[in-house]
Amino acid sequence: MLQHRLFVYLDQVARSGSIRKAAERLHISASAINRQLLALEEELGTPLFQRLPRKMVLTAAGEALIYHVRLSFKEIEWAQMKIEELKGLRRGEVTIAMMSGLAANLIPRTASEFRRANPRVKLNLQQLTTGENITNAVASGEADLGIGFDFDLQPVHRNIASVAVRLGAVVGVGHPLADKPSLRLSDCLPYPIVIADKSMVIRPYLDEVFARASVNLQPVIETNSIEVMRQSAIMDQTLTFLTPIDIEFDQRSGRLIYIPVRELSQQTQTLMLIGHDRGTSAIGSVFAETIKSMMSELC
């Protein structure tokens, strides 16, 4: 606090060009300000002002110091503004753009935890079809945050958090492969397979593995809906390829089982939480911290 007060004295003298005028504005004696400035100059070992007959003018050292002092004032103002947003208010809106696979798992669980602590905040949860749609929404300011897999980021984006996850086989509890601790790709082929279509970020990983294994896959369903993949595995005993995040709720409720596949063991996707490089609102930052906490549990 004493250092902050001294910097306020320094700033006011620099702005007014006079210790007397600075003292009048700050309602403090001119001699007290002068003593503080002299002590600071002695501590630094260099004068901060040229004391001309009618004006105080910053020296080169004074210019360098006042630049950083004013930066610190701006940072303090920003922090105070954020605190005021949070202090007892917890109001406003947060818009999150997300990929489809997160709509039935990670995001609802995060939203539930966030809402318990922030009941007066409105959440706008928007499911968008592609990673490009999500990154564009964040870049344009239509969304405060974006979450999904393998985004192609631009300088306007900030990667807030990320976690690597692996694709594997997903089956219902009654499937013949449900009790296997791990699988080979060849173990999956005799069973009806539901696969992501070419519009989804999962597909390039699978195509690469199938090509390397010289597998000509004949799926019974191709879809751009993770919900279809999940429900088909539950209801129709099909096999699909997803990440543990995609089936988090169904795993916890005992409806779906994730099984590592040896050929997919090196294929990782990156779940990314992104924002704008200029930052987000205080309450948006609180939601981001809640998602980050949930994501860290997935590591």
Side-chain angles (χ1 to χ4, degrees), residues 244-276:
I245 295 173
D246 298 317
I247 62 164
E248 179 199 8
F249 178 76
D250 292 310
Q251 271 194 296
R252 285 189 285 113
S253 61
R255 298 195 298 172
L256 287 176
I257 295 169
Y258 170 88
I259 309 172
V261 176
R262 190 172 305 177
E263 289 87 346
L264 291 170
S265 62
Q266 301 304 313
Q267 301 291 328
T268 61
Q269 288 186 279
T270 303
L271 177 64
M272 305 171 72
L273 173 65
I274 64 169
H276 201 284

Side-chain angles (χ1 to χ4, degrees), residues 172-215:
V173 291
H175 194 280
L177 298 177
D179 61 347
K180 302 292 184 182
S182 64
L183 297 170
R184 299 293 301 262
L185 195 58
S186 57
D187 298 325
C188 304
L189 300 181
Y191 301 96
I193 290 176
V194 177
I195 193 170
D197 71 15
K198 293 186 181 298
S199 70
M200 300 191 70
V201 293
I202 298 172
R203 186 59 179 266
Y205 294 93
L206 296 175
D207 285 345
E208 181 182 340
V209 169
F210 296 148
R212 198 162 55 235
S214 300
V215 170

Side-chain angles (χ1 to χ4, degrees), residues 225-245:
S225 169
I226 288 179
E227 183 66 15
V228 168
M229 297 180 212
R230 290 172 48 249
Q231 293 300 328
S232 180
I234 293 168
M235 299 169 62
D236 201 24
Q237 291 299 297
T238 58
L239 180 148
T240 191
F241 299 100
L242 293 169
T243 72
I245 295 173

Side-chain angles (χ1 to χ4, degrees), residues 47-58:
L48 299 174
F49 290 95
Q50 296 180 49
R51 287 168 166 77
L52 303 178
R54 296 194 176 187
K55 193 171 185 181
M56 300 275 286
V57 178
L58 286 166

Side-chain angles (χ1 to χ4, degrees), residues 101-119:
L102 305 170
N105 295 283
L106 179 63
I107 293 299
R109 191 155 68 92
T110 303
S112 176
E113 180 167 318
F114 177 83
R115 290 277 303 134
R116 282 196 293 272
N118 307 278

Side-chain angles (χ1 to χ4, degrees), residues 61-120:
E63 291 280 3
L65 179 59
I66 203 68
Y67 172 79
H68 290 287
V69 165
R70 288 171 180 168
L71 275 183
S72 71
F73 287 165
K74 287 180 181 178
E75 289 174 357
I76 290 169
E77 286 175 11
W78 181 86
Q80 288 173 333
M81 179 185 69
K82 292 288 186 182
I83 290 168
E84 286 302 315
E85 282 187 54
L86 292 172
K87 191 173 61 180
L89 297 178
R90 301 277 183 167
R91 294 182 183 273
E93 295 187 13
V94 183
T95 299
I96 299 94
M98 60 188 172
M99 284 187 175
S100 62
L102 305 170
N105 295 283
L106 179 63
I107 293 299
R109 191 155 68 92
T110 303
S112 176
E113 180 167 318
F114 177 83
R115 290 277 303 134
R116 282 196 293 272
N118 307 278
R120 291 181 289 180

